[in-house]
Amino acid sequence: SQQGEEDPQALSIQEGENATMNCSYKTSINNLQWYRQNSGRGLVHLILIRSNEREKHSGRLRVTLDTSKKSSSLLITASRAADTASYFCATSQGGSEKLVFGKGTKLTVNP
Amino acid sequence: DAGVTQSPTHLIKTRGQHVTLRCSPISGHKSVSWYQQVLGQGPQFIFQYYEKEERGRGNFPDRFSARQFPNYSSELNVNALLLGDSALYLCASSWGLAGGPRGKFFGPGTRLTVL
């Protein structure tokens, strides 16, 4: 079953704009990760935020985590056409290292 | 260094057949996980192996099995294929059980079509 739910399901923006994607999950977590997937191929890890962290930055990426609301957001600033992809949040819980993915947000950045 | 490799890239089978998918992790990685991704959905966890032992199993029927070899490569086997098994099968590797701060490294996947 899916743990996370991304919102929106699809997002279309112009190059240079910021893109924000949200993720909600159901159970307590060890960490939350964001992955990117291009054209239905392999996933690429973007960023990991631990349950005791509230915000993390990596290049043009900013991730926030609110464990009280069981939610996270991914912000991509100054988007580029190459950012066009599907973005998934994934959580790991308890003693298990399996990742539980959401359904993803499909981002389209128009040149 | 080579990333995670998977073979074959694409595969077409008919219902009732058996399939074997293969995965080679990044050199030095001891953990391999398998995920199934149905079109339009996020990946779902099937198995995790670490040091050749099964360390986790998802909610999949017994038709799905896997193993890890001494060189840490892995095979996923699916028996008695059903139409619903059509999906992208992803392999992920990591040094330890946990993904660490860089998460898990995924291969390009094997696209299985069951007719």
Side-chain angles (χ1 to χ4, degrees):
Chain A
S1 62
Q2 309 280 171
Q3 154 81 307
E5 290 290 337
E6 284 90 342
D7 170 55
Q9 292 185 355
L11 181 61
S12 181
I13 60 174
Q14 296 299 123
E15 230 174 4
E17 294 181 339
N18 295 340
T20 299
M21 288 159 268
N22 303 297
C23 168
S24 60
Y25 56 92
K26 299 174 184 174
T27 63
S28 61
I29 61 172
N30 293 333
N31 63 65
L32 186 144
Q33 305 175 35
W34 285 90
Y35 286 82
R36 183 185 75 225
Q37 185 176 40
N38 291 85
S39 302
R41 299 306 289 175
L43 287 89
V44 174
H45 179 258
L46 297 175
I47 196 164
L48 179 152
I49 186 164
R50 300 191 188 284
S51 60
N52 61 353
E53 298 176 309
R54 292 296 167 258
E55 187 171 314
K56 205 161 183 180
H57 296 255
S58 177
R60 294 185 295 113
L61 305 179
R62 172 178 170 255
V63 171
T64 62
L65 179 65
D66 187 335
T67 53
S68 67
K69 295 181 179 178
K70 292 186 169 59
S71 68
S72 172
S73 68
L74 171 68
L75 169 67
I76 303 174
T77 60
S79 63
R80 306 165 182 169
D83 294 329
T84 294
S86 291
Y87 292 81
F88 294 90
C89 68
T91 57
S92 69
Q93 307 95 32
S96 170
E97 294 304 331
K98 73 174 187 179
L99 294 177
V100 182
F101 286 84
K103 293 183 179 180
T105 292
K106 187 171 184 178
L107 173 65
T108 301
V109 181
N110 301 299
Chain B
D1 283 342
V4 178
T5 59
Q6 292 186 243
S7 63
T9 304
H10 296 87
L11 202 52
I12 299 175
K13 293 284 190 178
T14 56
R15 282 176 294 176
Q17 285 189 312
H18 161 271
V19 68
T20 298
L21 310 181
R22 296 178 174 83
C23 171
S24 292
I26 290 172
S27 178
H29 284 192
K30 300 180 179 181
S31 175
V32 169
S33 302
W34 288 93
Y35 290 80
Q36 180 197 63
Q37 186 178 21
V38 175
L39 193 64
Q41 301 290 317
Q44 290 212 356
F45 173 76
I46 311 175
F47 286 109
Q48 180 172 27
Y49 277 77
Y50 177 71
E51 288 282 17
K52 301 176 287 286
E53 291 189 3
E54 182 182 305
R55 294 302 191 101
R57 171 185 284 256
N59 188 24
F60 281 81
D62 292 344
R63 299 184 296 105
F64 288 76
S65 64
R67 55 180 175 167
Q68 186 177 34
F69 298 99
N71 66 354
Y72 302 110
S73 67
S74 177
E75 282 182 356
L76 175 69
N77 294 284
V78 187
N79 292 323
L81 286 167
L82 303 174
L83 295 179
D85 295 331
S86 295
L88 180 68
Y89 288 84
L90 295 161
C91 173
S93 80
S94 56
W95 185 85
L97 274 174
R102 296 178 64 192
K104 294 186 185 290
F105 294 81
F106 282 81
T110 293
R111 174 75 62 186
L112 172 65
T113 301
V114 182
L115 301 176

